[in-house]
């Protein structure tokens, strides 16, 4: 398979996304031996032998580890290793390892360069691209973080074979999101090729990753720091993050539920046809993602209001104006609360 290289240039910095490159080739992209690897227990078990000769920092798994305590642990290990400003940090893992490594790299000695090998479908299509790094704070998602681009991201599809099915399916939520917000063609490609995609057909996965990364890269190039257009990437995330916190489902499952709720609100606002919401729901169900949130309206709203996306008495909420066309609207919290209560 040919390697597809995509560049994201922001504020004079170029980040290379290498889709179809192999984990085994990572040493071609790092500056040399002064590299520390950050990974998690599962990746270490499957692929740890490839990291021989590099100091390796192994994290636990799950959102509970995406915290400042883990950042403190990484700092301690880097200091013990004797790392200084000339060092490079390589995160090998899913979204949690990438988000954490990017943040650690951004703050260690005021910032050292870092790169990722992305090992889950979700991180290949979304989490490792775009330069948002960070950790959760007291259970609230991504409250502390930076905007800082990795030097490179390797998306090796062959690593997906060891991923648990639930985690593999979780990645499809962000693929659906990219289609729903920006490209009906991407959405339709997934609808038409779903059986092959679910069977992890290499060509289909490669195209889905390339197209998803392209969509995200276009948005990020225009608005790296989320002052406007980039907000559309949060489609399904405002309520999805609350569902993730309340129920502990995977990130992709929570985003599936968040997208359904946001699509239903879009129908209520008169932006989206009911048939389009049903088409979105049907695709998510065919994938095996949940579409029925088992969370009461009061808890959902209460959790949402503590999220960092609040802006005084208003919030930016992403609606669909059709499949392939998202808009971010500033809406008063009172109106949003009423819309959500009306759904129940
Ligand atoms: N920075 C961003 O722009 C952005 C975007 C979307 C999501 N995210 C974040 O990404 C996180 C979710 O990422 P995720 O879904 O990759 O979760 P994850 O990192 O928790 O990985 C899921 C599970 O799969 C295991 N795993 C990873 N790769 C494997 C492999 N190849 N073989 C076997 N097991 C493997 C991990 O150990 C973990 O148990 C969330 O914290 C979310 O907030 C960030």
């Amino acid at each position: 398979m040919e390697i597809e290289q995509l560049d994201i240039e922001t504020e004079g910095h170029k980040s290379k996304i290498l889709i179809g490159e192999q984990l085994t080739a990572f040493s071609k992209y790092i500056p040399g031996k002064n590299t520390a690897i950050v990974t998690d227990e599962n990746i270490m078990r499957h692929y740890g032998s490839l990291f021989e000769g590099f100091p390796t920092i192994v994290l636990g798994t799950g959102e509970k580890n995406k915290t400042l305590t883990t950042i403190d642990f990484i700092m301690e290990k880097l200091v013990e290793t004797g790392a200084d400003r000339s060092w490079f940090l390589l995160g090998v893992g899913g979204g949690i390892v990438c988000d954490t490594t990017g943040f650690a790299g951004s703050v260690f000695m005021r910032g050292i360069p870092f790169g990722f090998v992305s090992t889950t479908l979700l991180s290949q299509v979304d989490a490792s691209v775009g330069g948002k790094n960070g950790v959760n704070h007291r259970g609230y998602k991504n409250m502390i973080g930076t905007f800082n681009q990795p030097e490179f991201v390797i998306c090796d599809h062959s690593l997906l074979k060891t991923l648990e099915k639930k985690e593999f399916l979780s990645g499809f939520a962000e693929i659906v999101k990219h289609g729903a917000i920006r490209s009906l063609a991407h959405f339709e490609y997934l609808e038409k090729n779903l059986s092959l995609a679910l069977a992890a057909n290499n060509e289909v996965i490669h195209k889905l990753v390339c197209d998803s990364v392209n969509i995200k890269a276009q948005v990020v190039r225009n608005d790296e720091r989320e002052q406007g257009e980039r907000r559309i990437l949060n489609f399904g995330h405002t309520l999805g993050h609350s569902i993730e916190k309340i129920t502990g489902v995977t990130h992709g499952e929570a985003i599936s539920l968040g997208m359904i709720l946001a699509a239903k609100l879009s129908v209520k606002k008169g932006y989206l046809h009911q048939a389009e919401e049903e088409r979105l729901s049907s695709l998510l169900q065919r994938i095996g993602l949940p579409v029925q949130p088992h969370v009461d309206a009061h808890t959902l709203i209460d959790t949402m209001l503590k999220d960092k996306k609040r802006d005084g008495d208003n919030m930016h909420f992403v609606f669909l104006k059709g499949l392939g066309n998202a808009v971010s609207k500033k809406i008063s919290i009172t109106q949003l609360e009423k819309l959500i209560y009306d759904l129940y």
Side-chain angles (χ1 to χ4, degrees):
M1 171 135 310
E2 278 210 0
I3 300 166
E4 176 102 9
Q5 179 172 330
L6 233 147
D7 296 334
I8 304 188
E9 267 187 75
T10 46
E11 292 175 9
H13 181 271
K14 186 149 107 181
S15 184
K16 291 190 282 202
I17 319 291
L18 301 145
I19 306 166
E21 179 56 289
Q22 310 273 303
L23 163 63
T24 47
F26 76 81
S27 51
K28 278 202 302 201
Y29 301 96
I30 57 174
K33 279 285 164 198
N34 282 356
T35 296
I37 293 178
V38 180
T39 191
D40 73 19
E41 288 159 355
N42 285 330
I43 297 296
M44 198 59 197
R45 200 173 63 250
H46 290 290
Y47 307 104
S49 59
L50 298 170
F51 310 149
E52 254 171 50
F54 294 93
T56 301
I57 304 167
V58 183
L59 312 181
T61 60
E63 282 289 326
K64 63 182 182 303
N65 288 293
K66 201 173 141 180
T67 59
L68 283 177
T69 309
T70 297
I71 298 297
D72 184 54
F73 172 71
I74 297 172
M75 298 296 129
E76 190 187 332
K77 293 288 169 199
L78 288 174
V79 171
E80 269 176 30
T81 307
D84 60 27
R85 268 196 159 161
S86 68
W87 277 58
F88 189 88
L89 212 51
L90 179 69
V92 185
I96 293 183
V97 167
C98 295
D99 281 5
T100 312
T101 305
F103 184 56
S106 302
V107 295
F108 180 68
M109 299 205 163
R110 296 201 170 84
I112 57 170
F114 59 90
F116 302 138
V117 179
S118 201
T119 65
T120 62
L121 182 61
L122 191 135
S123 63
Q124 294 188 4
V125 298
D126 192 5
S128 58
V129 182
K132 274 190 181 180
N133 314 290
V135 293
N136 306 329
H137 183 61
R138 298 185 196 273
Y140 289 95
K141 295 271 301 174
N142 307 327
M143 294 288 276
I144 302 169
T146 57
F147 286 102
N148 200 5
Q149 301 289 340
E151 299 302 309
F152 63 83
V153 181
I154 291 175
C155 298
D156 178 350
H157 313 315
S158 73
L159 305 176
L160 305 180
K161 65 179 184 299
T162 50
L163 203 54
E164 277 184 21
K165 184 165 180 216
K166 194 178 173 62
E167 298 297 347
F168 180 59
L169 296 186
S170 181
F172 283 93
E174 302 283 11
I175 297 175
V176 172
K177 180 195 79 178
H178 286 130
I181 61 169
R182 251 306 159 76
S183 166
L184 182 57
H186 187 50
F187 190 93
E188 284 178 340
Y189 179 82
L190 181 59
E191 280 181 325
K192 289 198 183 105
N193 294 280
L194 190 61
S195 311
L196 286 170
L198 294 178
N201 175 282
N202 208 32
E203 252 173 61
V204 174
I205 292 292
H206 188 68
K207 179 164 167 54
L208 288 168
V209 175
C210 288
D211 291 352
S212 270
V213 170
N214 254 310
I215 291 168
K216 184 161 182 184
Q218 264 177 25
V219 176
V220 170
R221 277 187 205 111
N222 293 339
D223 176 24
E224 187 191 15
R225 285 175 185 261
E226 201 170 297
Q227 298 302 304
E229 183 183 346
R230 186 171 181 161
R231 291 198 183 104
I232 65 168
L233 294 172
N234 294 330
F235 174 59
H237 282 60
T238 305
L239 296 172
H241 278 170
S242 304
I243 294 169
E244 192 175 352
K245 173 172 167 41
I246 299 161
T247 64
V249 295
T250 65
H251 183 71
E253 287 168 340
I255 297 316
S256 173
L257 294 164
M259 286 194 289
I260 285 299
L261 289 171
K264 284 184 191 293
L265 294 178
S266 306
V267 173
K268 280 226 164 287
K269 288 282 281 178
Y271 296 148
L272 188 71
H273 293 296
Q274 176 87 36
E276 291 175 293
E277 184 259 308
E278 284 165 10
R279 189 170 164 190
L280 175 69
S281 173
S282 155
L283 179 56
L284 293 168
Q285 286 182 73
R286 282 174 63 211
I287 292 167
L289 287 166
V291 292
Q292 200 61 56
H294 298 289
V295 178
D296 68 86
H298 177 74
T299 314
L300 186 62
I301 291 168
D302 192 48
T303 312
M304 176 189 79
L305 293 181
K306 292 187 179 123
D307 193 88
K308 68 184 186 308
K309 285 169 196 89
R310 189 175 170 157
D311 177 3
D313 292 336
N314 300 301
M315 279 187 107
H316 293 279
F317 195 87
V318 185
F319 296 97
L320 289 185
K321 281 203 154 177
L323 286 173
N325 182 17
V327 281
S328 171
K329 297 252 182 207
K330 204 170 192 173
I331 176 168
S332 79
I333 286 171
T334 324
Q335 200 198 348
L336 188 57
E337 278 180 356
K338 187 178 172 323
L339 278 171
I340 296 171
Y341 275 119
D342 284 355
L343 284 185
Y344 278 79

